[in-house]
């Protein structure tokens, strides 16, 4: 499978617990993005990496959220002290940044439910 | 202020008809424009990209861009029930920004 891979597909947790999601991008892609999507909304940008450098973070990314891409390959997104409002689909996307016309390809997402 | 606007729909068309989906954006510096299709419970799938004014055709899909009017559209010819999905307009002024999407329902 040469697409973007995300694990787990589903995560159910209790409020206050920490969760971590993993994303493996398409192998030759140097950019990796995290988005969040709730029902009836479009994906909302959270953060992105170019290689191992985290270049931009959205205001949506509170201090309970942290993302890493330590070797410029896979990435993890951790949410500490989860809240019910964190329930959403967390989408990872990757791209090969060649010009302003980069295209993002999404993984299947991780559906988080906070009880 | 929302940067990418779409009617949420649903837009209902009969099988074989042309479906027309519209999108407006606020950032005049935007250079790249995309249409993604998203089936219920699935992730967005890129179906069209357009970078310059005019039309771009790919099979049954035509994307149209008018930068002066800050308007992007997607036409789907010969609509099929399998086209029933939410269509997301995305614009790239810096990081890719999505609209809420328009739900399309194609009835047999």
């Amino acid at each position: 499978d040469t697409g973007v891979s995300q694990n787990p597909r589903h995560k159910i947790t209790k409020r206050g617990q920490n969760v971590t999601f993993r994303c493996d991008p398409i192998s030759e892609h140097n950019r990796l993005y995290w988005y969040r999507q709730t029902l009836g909304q479009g994906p909302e940008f959270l953060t992105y990496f170019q290689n191992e450098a985290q270049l931009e973070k959205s205001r949506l990314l509170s201090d309970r959220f942290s993302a890493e891409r330590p070797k410029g390959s896979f990435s993890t997104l951790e949410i500490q002290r989860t809240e019910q409002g964190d329930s959403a689909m967390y989408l990872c996307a990757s791209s090969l940044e060649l010009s302003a016309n980069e295209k993002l390809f999404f993984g299947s997402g991780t559906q988080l439910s906070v009880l | 202020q929302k940067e990418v606007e779409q009617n949420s729909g649903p837009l209902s068309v009969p099988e074989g008809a042309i479906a027309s989906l519209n999108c407006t954006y606020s950032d005049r510096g935007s250079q790249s424009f995309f249409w993604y299709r998203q089936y219920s419970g699935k992730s967005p799938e890129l179906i069209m990209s357009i970078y310059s004014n005019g039309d771009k055709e790919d099979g049954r899909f035509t994307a149209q861009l008018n930068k002066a009017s800050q308007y992007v559209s997607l036409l789907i010819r010969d609509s099929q029930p399998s086209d029933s999905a939410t269509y997301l307009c995305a614009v790239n002024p810096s990081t890719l920004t999505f609209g809420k999407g328009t739900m399309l329902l194609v009835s047999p």
Side-chain angles (χ1 to χ4, degrees):
Chain A
D1 187 350
T2 57
V4 179
S5 176
Q6 290 188 248
N7 287 289
R9 292 293 303 275
H10 304 275
K11 179 70 176 179
I12 300 173
T13 191
K14 293 182 178 179
R15 189 174 49 188
Q17 298 294 305
N18 299 343
V19 295
T20 300
F21 311 139
R22 176 177 170 128
C23 173
D24 289 88
I26 295 171
S27 58
E28 64 268 25
H29 284 185
N30 59 342
R31 283 194 174 178
L32 186 150
Y33 295 78
W34 287 100
Y35 282 79
R36 180 175 70 185
Q37 187 176 25
T38 54
L39 199 62
Q41 303 294 317
E44 296 174 298
F45 169 76
L46 293 178
T47 189
Y48 91 94
F49 294 83
Q50 179 154 322
N51 300 311
E52 66 275 10
Q54 188 172 16
L55 295 187
E56 189 170 339
K57 293 193 286 187
S58 162
R59 291 186 300 276
L60 295 174
L61 211 66
S62 76
D63 56 6
R64 296 185 297 106
F65 288 70
S66 62
E68 294 182 342
R69 194 183 184 198
K71 296 183 179 179
S73 56
F74 73 92
S75 176
T76 58
L77 177 67
E78 180 182 18
I79 309 174
Q80 296 182 326
R81 305 181 303 281
T82 53
E83 301 172 356
Q84 287 185 325
D86 297 331
S87 296
M89 173 77 83
Y90 288 83
L91 294 164
C92 176
S94 70
S95 73
L96 182 60
E97 188 265 339
L98 295 175
S99 68
N101 301 336
E102 69 172 307
K103 298 176 182 177
L104 269 63
F105 297 91
F106 284 87
S108 299
T110 294
Q111 181 67 53
L112 173 66
S113 297
V114 181
L115 305 178
Chain B
Q1 181 182 356
K2 189 69 176 176
E3 296 181 33
V4 181
E5 296 281 357
Q6 296 181 256
N7 287 325
S8 59
L11 173 67
S12 296
V13 300
E15 184 174 358
I18 296 175
S20 177
L21 303 160
N22 304 315
C23 169
T24 58
Y25 61 94
S26 60
D27 190 327
R28 284 195 171 273
S30 301
Q31 295 294 320
S32 307
F33 307 87
F34 305 90
W35 285 98
Y36 283 80
R37 177 176 62 199
Q38 187 172 29
Y39 293 112
S40 181
K42 303 295 185 182
S43 62
E45 173 194 9
L46 179 64
I47 54 172
M48 288 289 289
S49 60
I50 187 166
Y51 309 110
S52 55
N53 282 329
D55 294 1
K56 179 181 178 182
E57 186 175 320
D58 184 1
R60 296 187 296 113
F61 299 99
T62 298
Q64 299 175 316
L65 174 60
N66 184 327
K67 289 186 179 180
S69 300
Q70 296 175 247
Y71 178 87
V72 194
S73 66
L74 179 70
L75 300 178
I76 306 175
R77 290 181 298 282
D78 188 24
S79 295
Q80 301 297 309
S82 58
D83 294 327
S84 297
T86 295
Y87 288 80
L88 298 162
C89 174
V91 175
N92 196 349
S94 56
T95 53
L96 199 60
T97 302
F98 287 83
K100 288 186 176 181
T102 299
M103 181 182 293
L104 173 66
L105 298 175
V106 181
S107 53

